[in-house]
Amino acid sequence: MMKKVLITFILLLITLNGFANTINNIVVVDAYARETAKGQDVGAVYISLKNKGNKTVKFIGASTPIANTAQIHSMKMNNNISSMKHEQFLEVPANGELKLLPGESHIMLMGLKSPLIKGQTFPLNLHFEGLQDLKIEVPIKSINVDEMKDMKM
Ligand SMILES: [Cu+2]
């Protein structure tokens, strides 16, 4: 019985590793994009990056074949209006985590070549300073329309 549990556990670990997107000590814990409304040519990707190494890593941007550009944006509140700022990089702290969360930061996709449809995925290349790209598939989830409407550059 113990043996079976152990084997199951090992198999589970292998499976999890198979799905984890890891390169150079960087692990993508969670990534998703919001589906886009009709006629909308911008989108947002939210992501959590874990750094398993003991050196800070600079996340410097992303690219995808489905959009003309992808930029790292942070959001700030000013008089109840949220505005976005293009960041040249964000740091993934050593043995820490960088989270791009709704209302805080995101990877902005600009010039979308096709709408983002719930249930589909698209490829995204994550760029890190001095390191190899990390290629992931981003699942598309349904939107909270209000949040997107409030976005202003
Ligand atoms: Cu943005």
Side-chain angles (χ1 to χ4, degrees), residues 73 84 106 108:
H73 282 183
M84 302 193 291
H106 51 266
M108 187 99 180

Side-chain angles (χ1 to χ4, degrees), residues 43 71 73 75 84 106-108 151 153:
Q71 294 182 346
H73 282 183
M75 294 181 79
M84 302 193 291
H106 51 266
I107 299 167
M108 187 99 180
M151 279 189 173
M153 280 298 283

Side-chain angles (χ1 to χ4, degrees), residues 80-98:
N80 285 328
I81 297 165
S82 61
S83 63
M84 302 193 291
K85 183 174 171 251
H86 179 195
E87 303 286 353
Q88 295 307 313
F89 66 88
L90 289 176
E91 287 187 343
V92 193
N95 298 301
E97 196 169 1
L98 170 67

Side-chain angles (χ1 to χ4, degrees), residues 81-151:
I81 297 165
S82 61
S83 63
M84 302 193 291
K85 183 174 171 251
H86 179 195
E87 303 286 353
Q88 295 307 313
F89 66 88
L90 289 176
E91 287 187 343
V92 193
N95 298 301
E97 196 169 1
L98 170 67
K99 291 182 178 182
L100 278 67
L101 301 172
E104 293 174 17
S105 46
H106 51 266
I107 299 167
M108 187 99 180
L109 307 177
M110 293 149 112
L112 279 177
K113 291 165 188 171
S114 57
L116 301 181
I117 296 159
K118 188 173 76 174
Q120 296 186 350
T121 67
F122 62 89
L124 186 70
N125 285 347
L126 305 171
H127 309 313
F128 301 93
E129 190 179 77
L131 299 174
Q132 226 180 310
D133 278 1
L134 178 49
K135 292 173 193 201
I136 60 166
E137 278 290 317
V138 179
I140 301 166
K141 294 186 180 177
S142 66
I143 40 168
N144 174 343
V145 178
D146 284 346
E147 193 179 318
M148 294 299 289
K149 200 176 63 192
D150 288 342
M151 279 189 173

